[in-house]
Amino acid sequence: MKHFFLSSLSFILFLTAFSQQPEQQPDNVTMNAAVSEGLYGKLLDNATGKPIAAASVQIYVPGTNTDSLFDGMLTRPNGEFRFERLPVADSIKLVISALGYQPQEQYVRAGTNQTNRPAGFQRDLGNISLQTDVKQLSEVVVSATRPALQMGIDRKIFDVSKSLLAAGGTAVDIMKNIPSVSVDIEGNVELRNSTPQIFVDGRPTILTLDQIPADHIDKIELITNPSAKFDAASSGGIINVVLKKNKRIGLNGVISLSGGTPELFSGNLNINLRQGKFNFFASVGHNQSGGIARGQTLRQNKKGGVVTDYFNQFSKNERDRNFNSLRFGTDIFLSNRNTITISQDFSKGKFGNVEMQNQEYLDASRVLTYSGLRRSDGSSKFDRGSTRLNFKHNFPKEGKELTADINYNYGSRTSLSDINTLYFKPDGSQYRQPSLVWNDGSNEENQLTIQADYVNPINESTKIETGLRSFTSTFKSYYNAYADDNGQAEKLPLSNNYAYDQAVTAAYFTFSKNLKSFSYQLGLRGEHSKFDGELVDSAYKFGYEYPGSLKNIWDGLFPSVYLTKKLNESNEMQFNYSRRIRRPQFWQLNPFVDINDPANLRQGNPALRPEFINSFEVNYNNTYKQGNFLAVVYFRNNPDDITEYSDTITAAQYQQFANAAIDPNAILNTFINASTTNRYGAEFTLQHKIGKNFDITPTVNLQYRTVSAKVNDLVLDNKGFNWEAKLITNYKIETERPSFFNNFGFQAIVDYESPQVIPQGKNIAEFQVDLAFRKDFMKNKKASLTLAVSDLFNSQRWGTIYDTEQFYQDSYRRWNVRNFRLTFSYKFGDNKFSLFNNNRRRENDDD
């Protein structure tokens, strides 16, 4: 840990020194990760370039006959000035005067009207030289109100505050609101049927989405085909979760409480204090949920294409989950253009589940041979944290910046389970001896990311971006499984100790050019990745290195091309291409066998290789008065695609699982590298406003998939068409006269996914409807009450149909069940709140 902090300090000091050189910055530096509302700049002598101290800078509000003085100050010894409060006006006039210099007047139109000004509005006027020729600032136009979903030609941005259904929930609930995104029963998200990379505030995380409270999230950024600037492992796109950090001056915050059924409760507090050169932020949350989820498996075992016997299983799983989170930090504004941000996150949680499985073993004539009753009691706990140090330097040239950060994620998890199985004859008597299996396990993980990015708009039409990144990860786990053998504990071969080290080093460069209505961006990213895994007990080692040698350099190069044509003010088209990589997750590599379901075992494959992806898109975006329309045609080519493979266990494997109450015809689900998977698709998203208060956002994704795979001599080729449709609607009642229904909002989401082909069968269709109502009340709509119903018809389930020479199986599982949640939220704030003496503050400002 000592070396970590020394390295961090040296890294920041180097970047600070680098950022000072070009523009002759003052000795004290400042960062700007979350600057409060304000207008700031720096005065320089045009001839010498030196700062001008004690110059007068005044803000006037233009009037019909005369201008009104609003505020004024003298520049500091380093020539800087800053106004942290702006007048309620459409435009302001800045008057600058200093002894021996010609006065300057500048008009700034920056959407400073109270209704138009966004929270935390800021404007850096740059270095202002006092000279004869007055430098006139360009106008800044800020849009008034933004829709919940902002669609651009290369990304989508979702405003979480507009989501009624997510109030009091988790990030998983938010994902259901976003077009193109689907969520499975375990909370895993897919973007156009591919797995995206999840970031929190632009950096990797070891948190899962259901461990992040929705009330702590500001917005979600969605990029379907990232450029070379982003991590090459983002093969399925990027979903970036941006956490809240209020930018208003003074004290601000929001508190929320939720309760519902089944066993739902959550409480969250977000608070922010902007005081002088410091911006303090903190959030704390608790979230718990429960419910009983059901599942079933219907299987036919075959030999030579003829059914030999049947197996049916019906399960009921009662679960409870509890999460606690704490996040706090501060922005330190060293100067107008330099900011350091330090933040710390802690999260803890525990899971519990009791699953009952009723099993039926039938012969070829569907006559019951014997039955089983299996009870599984499991529990697990996790404890995770994240420490982050950020630096940002804004150069006087607009858009030119240097950022750097160090992100350290760490955590651990423990688990316990007991599995007891009883067997009965059709008459109810004992069929064979009961089986008792128990296990325990734990793991530890550490991740360190160090990154620096530099952006330089060389001129109005040309921009370059470059950066460096280092990512290292260590993971250790152990798992011990035991069975009762005549009163003696027998350690099963399922037990294993597993460890790995992963390192990725990267550098990128992009060049952008605007040529009137045509623009392009060319990028190249180079990455070296290495994965070293080991089964500790057997000393078996596995892993990969890309590129392994110079002749395989292409394995470490990831180009991107973006070509954009602006047809007119409302229409534009874009073609883009990128090459990415998808590295196997640890649970896909870990050879541990999950026996919680005795008929459907799961195991990782340590021989998996990373897959490479070539992604092509053609986008068309049309913006019109009532909304906008986005059409995308895409093609994804995946050599070595990581896909699932299932087969019945062999006699040798069954012997290995002796005393573990495993079905002799159990299916072992694992992962393989397919030869190639191709996806051809088209996606259409419309965001349309009907009248003043009603909007709809329908999305349709059409996809044709071909899979080519082979295991030994078994060919697993498959192909098929699938589609997904999602409709999001919002309506708000606003009346001129006082009414209970005034400021009453409604939201409904309908989502359907058709069956989707996999190498040995297909995933079954999914359907879900969510509904929510919200009432805003109190002065300035500070309070709100939201009622949300998730999975209104209790229809959401995830299932698979396998059809092979050895077996046919139709199964489904559920994770969440229909729930009702009532949430109260209250916003508070005081822009005059001060931790320090106000008189002393004024004296410091005067100084």
Side-chain angles (χ1 to χ4, degrees), residues 399-435:
K400 185 178 180 181
E401 64 180 30
L402 172 69
T403 61
D405 61 78
I406 301 173
N407 194 30
Y408 179 54
N409 297 320
Y410 49 93
S412 62
R413 182 175 181 137
T414 59
S415 62
L416 298 167
S417 71
D418 295 317
I419 304 173
N420 193 1
T421 309
L422 305 175
Y423 300 95
F424 304 95
K425 294 179 180 178
D427 62 5
S429 60
Q430 180 175 298
Y431 177 76
R432 72 182 189 199
Q433 286 293 323
S435 170

Side-chain angles (χ1 to χ4, degrees), residues 228 232 523-529 545-561 577-583 610-616 637-640:
L524 181 64
R525 186 180 187 91
E527 287 194 354
H528 177 267
S529 57
E545 182 178 7
Y546 286 88
S549 61
L550 190 60
K551 67 179 181 180
N552 298 320
I553 189 66
W554 179 243
D555 289 341
L557 296 179
F558 304 94
S560 66
V561 178
Y577 161 77
S578 70
R579 183 175 188 263
R580 322 298 294 176
I581 186 173
R582 180 189 173 199
R583 302 180 181 95
E611 66 175 82
F612 293 91
I613 298 94
N614 296 293
S615 182
F616 301 82
N637 167 251
N638 291 43
D640 292 329

Side-chain angles (χ1 to χ4, degrees), residues 181 189-191 194-198 222-223 233-239:
V181 177
V189 298
E190 286 192 341
L191 178 59
S194 298
T195 303
Q197 187 170 26
I198 305 297
L222 186 71
I223 305 175
S234 53
S235 59
I238 289 177
I239 294 179

Side-chain angles (χ1 to χ4, degrees), residues 4-14 389 406:
F4 165 70
F5 284 110
L6 288 175
S7 300
S8 304
L9 180 60
S10 302
F11 185 60
I12 293 296
L13 289 176
F14 165 76
L389 177 64
I406 301 173

Side-chain angles (χ1 to χ4, degrees), residues 172-462:
V172 173
D173 299 296
I174 298 175
M175 297 302 163
K176 298 175 183 178
N177 288 255
I178 305 176
S180 309
V181 177
S182 58
V183 183
D184 69 17
I185 62 164
E186 296 179 348
N188 300 312
V189 298
E190 286 192 341
L191 178 59
R192 295 178 185 164
N193 299 319
S194 298
T195 303
Q197 187 170 26
I198 305 297
F199 286 157
V200 173
D201 286 335
R203 296 295 177 261
T205 180
I206 58 176
L207 291 174
T208 58
L209 289 173
D210 63 355
Q211 295 169 10
I212 306 175
D215 293 339
H216 292 182
I217 301 174
D218 178 35
K219 60 184 177 181
I220 303 291
E221 298 175 339
L222 186 71
I223 305 175
T224 57
N225 196 15
S227 70
K229 178 179 180 179
F230 298 95
D231 186 3
S234 53
S235 59
I238 289 177
I239 294 179
N240 183 32
V241 178
V242 181
L243 300 178
K244 287 181 178 177
K245 189 196 295 183
N246 202 312
K247 304 179 180 72
R248 292 184 181 275
I249 195 167
L251 178 68
N252 300 275
V254 59
I255 186 171
S256 64
L257 291 172
S258 296
T261 182
E263 304 173 31
L264 298 179
F265 176 76
S266 68
N268 294 280
L269 171 66
N270 291 276
I271 193 167
N272 196 93
L273 174 62
R274 173 68 168 91
Q275 188 71 67
K277 292 183 176 293
F278 296 91
N279 182 54
F280 303 98
F281 53 89
S283 60
V284 60
H286 171 77
N287 190 291
Q288 69 181 50
S289 62
I292 298 177
R294 301 181 184 273
Q296 74 173 31
T297 298
L298 306 176
R299 187 169 75 236
Q300 304 171 8
N301 295 309
K302 297 185 290 185
K303 186 174 183 179
V306 179
V307 176
T308 58
D309 58 88
Y310 296 86
F311 172 80
N312 301 328
Q313 178 176 281
F314 307 93
S315 63
K316 182 175 69 173
N317 189 2
E318 184 174 357
R319 303 182 309 120
D320 65 86
R321 293 177 291 176
N322 284 270
F323 304 104
N324 297 290
S325 62
L326 171 65
R327 174 176 176 258
F328 57 90
T330 181
D331 303 311
I332 306 172
F333 306 107
L334 302 178
S335 67
N336 283 348
R337 300 192 182 105
N338 297 276
T339 308
I340 290 178
T341 300
I342 304 171
S343 63
Q344 177 66 51
D345 293 29
F346 295 107
S347 62
K348 301 183 69 172
K350 59 182 180 180
F351 309 85
N353 70 282
V354 177
E355 184 173 11
M356 302 296 296
Q357 297 172 346
N358 291 292
Q359 303 162 350
E360 298 175 346
Y361 296 84
L362 305 97
D363 61 19
S365 301
R366 296 184 182 270
V367 176
L368 181 65
T369 303
Y370 67 96
S371 61
L373 178 62
R374 183 183 180 98
R375 177 188 172 102
S376 174
D377 293 81
S379 64
S380 64
K381 297 180 180 180
F382 73 87
D383 190 349
R384 292 170 176 168
S386 178
T387 305
R388 189 167 178 181
L389 177 64
N390 305 81
F391 169 81
K392 184 173 183 179
H393 172 73
N394 288 328
F395 293 87
K397 181 193 292 186
E398 186 173 359
K400 185 178 180 181
E401 64 180 30
L402 172 69
T403 61
D405 61 78
I406 301 173
N407 194 30
Y408 179 54
N409 297 320
Y410 49 93
S412 62
R413 182 175 181 137
T414 59
S415 62
L416 298 167
S417 71
D418 295 317
I419 304 173
N420 193 1
T421 309
L422 305 175
Y423 300 95
F424 304 95
K425 294 179 180 178
D427 62 5
S429 60
Q430 180 175 298
Y431 177 76
R432 72 182 189 199
Q433 286 293 323
S435 170
L436 176 60
V437 178
W438 65 94
N439 60 65
D440 64 88
S442 71
N443 63 59
E444 295 182 359
E445 184 174 11
N446 295 275
Q447 294 180 352
L448 177 63
T449 305
I450 302 177
Q451 181 163 336
D453 300 277
Y454 175 68
V455 181
N456 184 13
I458 298 175
N459 52 47
E460 292 184 357
S461 62
T462 306

Side-chain angles (χ1 to χ4, degrees), residues 387-626:
T387 305
R388 189 167 178 181
L389 177 64
N390 305 81
F391 169 81
K392 184 173 183 179
H393 172 73
N394 288 328
F395 293 87
K397 181 193 292 186
E398 186 173 359
K400 185 178 180 181
E401 64 180 30
L402 172 69
T403 61
D405 61 78
I406 301 173
N407 194 30
Y408 179 54
N409 297 320
Y410 49 93
S412 62
R413 182 175 181 137
T414 59
S415 62
L416 298 167
S417 71
D418 295 317
I419 304 173
N420 193 1
T421 309
L422 305 175
Y423 300 95
F424 304 95
K425 294 179 180 178
D427 62 5
S429 60
Q430 180 175 298
Y431 177 76
R432 72 182 189 199
Q433 286 293 323
S435 170
L436 176 60
V437 178
W438 65 94
N439 60 65
D440 64 88
S442 71
N443 63 59
E444 295 182 359
E445 184 174 11
N446 295 275
Q447 294 180 352
L448 177 63
T449 305
I450 302 177
Q451 181 163 336
D453 300 277
Y454 175 68
V455 181
N456 184 13
I458 298 175
N459 52 47
E460 292 184 357
S461 62
T462 306
K463 181 173 71 174
I464 61 171
E465 298 178 75
T466 187
L468 302 171
R469 182 176 184 266
S470 171
F471 172 80
T472 56
S473 175
T474 61
F475 182 88
K476 296 180 180 179
S477 75
Y478 78 84
Y479 175 82
N480 294 319
Y482 303 90
D484 181 87
D485 185 9
N486 296 321
Q488 299 294 320
E490 175 192 359
K491 191 171 183 179
L492 298 176
L494 300 172
S495 306
N496 73 77
N497 293 325
Y498 172 78
Y500 74 73
D501 294 306
Q502 183 181 16
V504 181
T505 306
Y508 74 89
F509 179 85
T510 67
F511 177 83
S512 303
K513 185 73 173 180
N514 290 324
L515 303 170
K516 295 183 179 180
S517 62
F518 176 76
S519 63
Y520 65 89
Q521 182 194 86
L522 306 177
L524 181 64
R525 186 180 187 91
E527 287 194 354
H528 177 267
S529 57
K530 189 175 183 182
F531 183 96
D532 294 314
E534 180 182 11
L535 298 181
V536 179
D537 294 336
S538 62
Y540 174 73
K541 296 184 179 181
F542 55 94
Y544 57 81
E545 182 178 7
Y546 286 88
S549 61
L550 190 60
K551 67 179 181 180
N552 298 320
I553 189 66
W554 179 243
D555 289 341
L557 296 179
F558 304 94
S560 66
V561 178
Y562 287 75
L563 308 175
T564 305
K565 172 65 176 178
K566 196 172 183 64
L567 304 177
N568 51 48
E569 290 299 320
S570 303
N571 296 272
E572 59 181 338
M573 293 191 67
Q574 182 188 84
F575 165 81
N576 60 62
Y577 161 77
S578 70
R579 183 175 188 263
R580 322 298 294 176
I581 186 173
R582 180 189 173 199
R583 302 180 181 95
Q585 301 294 323
F586 82 91
W587 47 270
Q588 294 174 320
L589 292 164
N590 190 351
F592 153 70
V593 181
D594 182 353
I595 61 171
N596 282 326
D597 185 341
N600 295 278
L601 312 181
R602 303 184 68 85
Q603 182 181 30
N605 178 8
L608 279 181
R609 305 181 305 277
E611 66 175 82
F612 293 91
I613 298 94
N614 296 293
S615 182
F616 301 82
E617 285 187 2
V618 177
N619 302 319
Y620 168 74
N621 189 37
N622 170 242
T623 303
Y624 57 99
K625 185 176 181 180
Q626 289 82 21

